[in-house]
Every structure is written in structure tokens, then in C-alpha cells.
Amino acid sequence: MTNHLLEISTFDQSFGIDNLSRDLTESGKLQQMPQDQGIHGITPNPAIFEKTRQCHL
């Protein structure tokens, strides 16, 4: 199966995700995303951090 995100990267374009999770960072999946899926950036949703902050108050 063709990964179109990897194809687009040949045109100096990149894509990011907006669902940072503990599983992505601890499992090593985040580190593999550029070469496996063509994902080169991450923008965490600020609402996630707000919910986390509220849980720890």
C-alpha cells in the first residue's frame, strides 16, 4: 500500500499530528513516525494540558 504522506515529503512538505499521548512517547512510536508514516511534527492540543493540570490540583 502506498503512503501518500511519504510521497508528499519528496516535495519538501511535511505533516504533523495533534494527539500527543504518553503511549506515543513511551512506546517509541513517535520516534518512528517520520520514517514510517511521513509525520514530521506534533502540535499538542492545549486542552489536553489544561485537563491534566486540573487533575493534579
Side-chain angles (χ1 to χ4, degrees):
M1 184 179 340
T2 301
N3 183 327
H4 296 295
L5 293 180
L6 288 172
E7 289 180 359
I8 291 171
S9 69
T10 63
F11 298 101
D12 291 328
Q13 299 294 312
S14 62
F15 290 88
I17 58 172
D18 66 357
N19 62 340
L20 180 62
S21 69
R22 186 175 305 227
D23 177 59
L24 279 177
T25 57
E26 290 180 350
S27 68
K29 292 177 186 177
L30 183 63
Q31 193 172 13
Q32 291 299 117
M33 285 182 144
Q35 63 198 52
D36 293 348
Q37 300 177 22
I39 304 293
H40 292 277
I42 189 161
T43 305
N45 183 338
I48 295 169
F49 292 109
E50 181 62 25
K51 288 179 186 178
T52 302
R53 187 181 73 77
Q54 290 173 357
C55 290
H56 292 286
L57 291 178

